[in-house]
Amino acid sequence: MRLIKQTANILTIRYLPWGVWLFGSLMVCLGIIALTNAKLMTLSCTRDLQQPTQGQCTLTKSNWLGQIQSQRSLQLQQIKGASFFPVGSSKGRKIYEIYLTTSQEYVPSSIRAWEEMQSEVRRIEAFLKDSLQPQVTLQEDDRFFSYFIGLVIVIIAVGINILFGGISTLSLNKITKKLTLKKQGGLGTKIFECGLNQIDKVIVTSSKVRLHEYHVLMIVLKANTALQQTNIRQVIFGLFFQGIVGSVIILRPPSLFFSRKSDYEKCAKQILDFLHTGGYLQENSDRK
């Protein structure tokens, strides 16, 4: 929350969720990276049945749009066989990369095979030995998986920004004698109003989860004050505190990732001082 306006009669504090926006933007970037890293690897070998020694094997790499990024061809007579080498593992299963063997080098196909799919190598070797077999094709297509992961990440990022990326403005006005909380976000604009004389206390509470300490700034209203909740977090906290400290307005933290207790206490002091000078709170109504 940041102080926007302060006069003798008006106090306005606004929360811009830079942390949420930054986090959402980073997630969108990750989703786009997942999309653009999708690829289709193809190894296609063909033979001229009229001249069985004539033919070629072509290694093709296509991007997520199906556009060819690289291509390499080897004449059939250059290829002596096929082999595979372990390149890693996943979930306890070994992953192999298929190679074409020539008299001078091993040419990687960039096609990965699981431990139980080594029959793909035998398909290539069978093609090389069988002069009556016209064609063999192997493919590794991870585009659907990458599309799915990328889309899920983008949807989550958009959802986070819709739910938690709204701009909150808190205004206390001694002329109208009202507190107004306005939240503008992807779900529309919501406004809550109550009288300044309905405020019971302004408190900062802290709780520790593992090694991190979390702080919450709350404006506690007097009992039986109707409160229109404005987001999921407020609903959760409102339900938790209802009947214990009355209806509660939860003010968002200055940052998503880093929150210093002094920031909350400073914001609480600004509100308390404003209310004290108007006689709306007793001086002993302190922060806890």
Side-chain angles (χ1 to χ4, degrees):
M1 305 293 287
R2 174 172 293 185
L3 182 64
I4 300 299
K5 182 178 181 181
Q6 184 174 20
T7 66
N9 294 315
I10 297 175
L11 176 69
T12 303
I13 299 174
R14 179 170 295 158
Y15 169 70
L16 297 177
W18 296 109
V20 176
W21 295 343
L22 176 61
F23 182 70
S25 299
L26 290 175
M27 287 194 66
V28 168
C29 291
L30 289 176
I32 294 174
I33 290 173
L35 286 171
T36 55
N37 280 342
K39 62 184 182 302
L40 169 64
M41 307 298 302
T42 304
L43 170 60
S44 179
C45 296
T46 58
R47 171 185 282 113
D48 184 352
L49 295 181
Q50 302 300 321
Q51 297 177 309
T53 58
Q54 301 299 312
Q56 64 181 13
C57 286
T58 302
L59 305 171
T60 304
K61 179 181 179 181
S62 303
N63 63 16
W64 64 297
L65 294 175
Q67 300 170 332
I68 295 176
Q69 290 182 306
S70 62
Q71 195 171 62
R72 180 179 179 181
S73 295
L74 297 171
Q75 294 303 310
L76 204 57
Q77 57 266 33
Q78 292 179 267
I79 303 172
K80 306 301 181 183
S83 58
F84 56 90
F85 298 99
V87 293
S89 62
S90 176
K91 297 181 180 179
R93 295 188 299 173
K94 289 185 178 180
I95 304 174
Y96 297 87
E97 186 166 17
I98 298 173
Y99 285 73
L100 297 179
T101 308
T102 71
S103 57
Q104 297 179 337
E105 62 180 332
Y106 289 102
V107 181
S109 68
S110 296
I111 293 180
R112 306 296 175 90
W114 294 102
E115 192 169 15
E116 64 269 19
M117 296 172 64
Q118 297 168 13
S119 59
E120 296 178 349
V121 173
R122 291 192 285 271
R123 287 179 59 198
I124 299 174
E125 291 181 329
F127 169 81
L128 295 174
K129 294 175 182 178
D130 186 359
S131 60
L132 298 179
Q133 189 173 345
Q135 184 177 9
V136 65
T137 300
L138 303 181
Q139 279 190 340
E140 181 190 355
D141 190 351
D142 66 1
R143 290 178 298 176
F144 177 79
F145 178 75
S146 297
Y147 295 161
F148 176 77
I149 295 297
L151 187 60
V152 167
I153 293 175
V154 170
I155 290 174
I156 291 175
V158 172
I160 288 174
N161 275 277
I162 289 176
L163 290 175
F164 304 105
I167 299 173
S168 299
T169 304
L170 177 71
S171 179
L172 291 84
N173 192 316
K174 293 177 183 176
I175 299 174
T176 60
K177 300 180 181 181
K178 286 185 177 181
L179 174 151
T180 302
L181 177 63
K182 181 178 181 182
K183 181 165 186 282
Q184 300 165 287
L187 298 177
T189 299
K190 296 183 180 181
I191 299 176
F192 164 74
E193 288 186 342
C194 71
L196 295 180
N197 57 0
Q198 291 178 290
I199 298 173
D200 185 43
K201 62 183 72 175
V202 180
I203 61 176
V204 175
T205 63
S206 302
S207 59
K208 199 167 186 178
V209 179
R210 294 186 179 179
L211 299 177
H212 190 76
E213 190 173 20
Y214 295 89
H215 313 289
V216 177
L217 171 58
M218 299 182 294
I219 297 178
V220 184
L221 305 180
K222 294 177 181 178
N224 301 321
T225 300
L227 177 64
Q228 177 185 345
Q229 308 293 355
T230 58
N231 59 44
I232 290 178
R233 181 184 298 182
Q234 289 175 331
V235 170
I236 294 173
F237 276 92
L239 290 174
F240 181 79
F241 287 105
Q242 187 69 37
I244 299 176
V245 292
S247 297
V248 177
I249 298 175
I250 304 296
L251 299 182
R252 303 288 293 278
S255 168
L256 177 68
F257 302 108
F258 305 101
S259 57
R260 297 176 300 177
K261 190 174 183 179
S262 59
D263 295 329
Y264 293 83
E265 291 176 336
K266 179 181 178 181
C267 184
K269 186 177 185 304
Q270 291 170 340
I271 297 173
L272 284 169
D273 289 346
F274 181 82
L275 293 171
H276 285 156
T277 56
Y280 292 98
L281 284 180
Q282 298 298 320
E283 288 296 328
N284 60 359
S285 183
D286 241 336
R287 289 160 288 153
K288 294 183 181 180

